[in-house]
Amino acid sequence: MPSPKANAIRAMKGREKIAALTVYDFAMAQMLDQLGVPLLLVGDSLGMVVLGYEDTTHVTMAEMEHHVRAAARAKPRALLAADLPFQSYETTTQAVQSAQRLIAAGAEAVKAEGGKDILPQVQAIVAAGIPFLGHLGMLPQHVREEGGYHIKGKTVPEREHLLQEAKTLEAAGAFAIVLELVTPPVAREISENISIPTIGIGSGKQCDGQILVTTDLWGTSPNYIPKHVKARLEIPEHMRSAVAEWKKSL
Ligand code: KIV
C-alpha cells in the first residue's frame, strides 16, 4: 500500500534536511507536529527516558502500543513511526504481526534494528504494505551483547559491512535508514551511495536528516545525555524553578 507520508520523507532527500524527533505521548506529538517536524518516532528509547529501564531491551509490545496510541491521538500531519521492541521480530510471521499491532495502535510506519540478519522480516513487513524505517550502526537492542554504545565504521571491514547493509535495506524497500553512532565519513559515504534518505544520530552532519531523543535535546532525560547532543540545560532549570517558586507560594 503506498504511503504518501513515507513517500514524502523519501522525496526530501537532496532537497531539504529531514528533522526527526522522538515522541512518547500526546502532548509531545502535538507540540512537535505543530512545529513542523515531518517525522516523529515513538522510539523504544521510551524505556530509558520515560519508563526508567536500564536499556531498551526491557520495553514490551504492550508498552509500545500504549505510547503509540497516546501519540497518535494528536493526529499528527507528520509521519508517525514506531519502534518494534526487542524480540518482537524474531520470525517473519512475528514481525508482521507485531508491525500490524503498532499500526493498529496508530503508527504509520515501523522501525527495526539490523540489516541482512532481519532481511526476511523487513521484506515481509514491506510486502504487508507497512512502511519500513531501517536502523544501522550502533543498535541499542544489542547493547548487552556489545557491552556498551560503541561507534561503528572505524575499520575498513565495518565500513564495507555498513555500506552493504544500507544497500540491502534500500533494496528491501525501506523508505529511510537511521544511522546511529556511525563515523561521519562512513555516514556520508552511505548517504551518497543510496537513493533513500539517511537520518543520523551521532553520525555527523552529512546525513540527509537528523534524529534526536527529544528529552536529550531538552536536557530533561534522566541520568545521562549523550555527547553528540547539545542539551538546552536551561529548560530543566526553568522547570525546577517553577516548582520551587510554586512550593514557596503555598
Ligand atoms: O529509540 C529511539 O529513540 C531511536 C532513535 C534515537 C533513533 O531509535
Side-chain angles (χ1 to χ4, degrees):
M1 212 184 302
S3 158
K5 288 190 189 178
N7 289 345
I9 297 291
R10 188 168 37 211
M12 287 172 82
K13 186 176 175 103
R15 294 198 186 152
E16 60 179 297
K17 289 278 184 184
I18 301 163
L21 285 170
T22 61
V23 293
Y24 309 110
D25 59 29
F26 173 83
M28 284 178 95
Q30 187 181 59
M31 182 200 281
L32 300 183
D33 191 49
Q34 283 168 354
L35 289 167
V37 178
L39 173 57
L40 300 176
L41 171 72
V42 183
D44 59 0
S45 49
L46 164 76
M48 294 159 83
V49 302
V50 176
L51 301 178
Y53 295 139
E54 196 183 331
D55 58 51
T56 62
T57 64
H58 304 274
V59 177
T60 65
M61 178 55 79
E63 287 165 342
M64 284 303 300
E65 289 176 296
H66 180 76
H67 288 267
V68 168
R69 272 190 221 106
R73 274 181 212 116
K75 297 189 175 48
R77 291 163 303 159
L79 176 70
L80 184 66
D83 265 327
L84 284 164
F86 184 56
Q87 290 181 338
S88 73
Y89 50 102
E90 303 279 281
T91 64
T92 54
T93 308
Q94 191 198 20
V96 173
Q97 282 172 353
S98 300
Q100 284 168 339
R101 279 177 67 175
L102 293 179
I103 298 291
E108 298 164 302
V110 300
K111 173 164 84 59
E113 299 180 5
K116 217 168 163 198
D117 56 328
I118 59 160
L119 179 59
Q121 290 93 317
V122 177
Q123 288 169 329
I125 289 169
V126 172
I130 298 171
F132 182 80
L133 175 60
H135 187 149
L136 297 173
M138 198 288 135
L139 305 179
Q141 292 178 4
H142 293 255
V143 67
R144 289 198 255 164
E145 294 135 67
E146 300 215 350
Y149 298 89
H150 304 300
I151 294 173
K152 300 290 173 164
K154 285 180 167 172
T155 63
V156 173
E158 263 189 19
R159 166 188 159 268
E160 280 166 8
H161 178 70
L162 280 168
L163 199 51
Q164 278 319 309
E165 294 277 81
K167 288 184 175 171
T168 299
L169 290 179
E170 176 190 22
F175 70 87
I177 304 175
V178 169
L179 295 179
E180 178 157 359
L181 297 185
V182 172
T183 62
V186 174
R188 179 187 185 153
E189 192 180 355
I190 294 171
S191 307
E192 286 171 353
N193 281 283
I194 59 173
S195 63
I196 55 172
T198 58
I199 313 222
I201 173 159
S203 301
K205 304 245 331 155
Q206 304 299 323
C207 296
D208 300 303
Q210 299 289 332
I211 186 162
L212 283 181
V213 169
T214 305
T215 54
D216 288 348
L217 175 65
W218 286 343
T220 56
S221 289
N223 306 326
Y224 170 76
I225 293 180
K227 281 198 210 110
H228 59 261
V229 186
K230 192 167 160 271
R232 274 44 176 187
L233 292 172
E234 70 282 3
I235 297 176
E237 202 36 55
H238 283 309
M239 291 163 98
R240 275 191 281 271
S241 309
V243 175
E245 278 168 29
W246 169 77
K247 252 181 92 207
K248 265 198 239 151
S249 75
L250 295 179

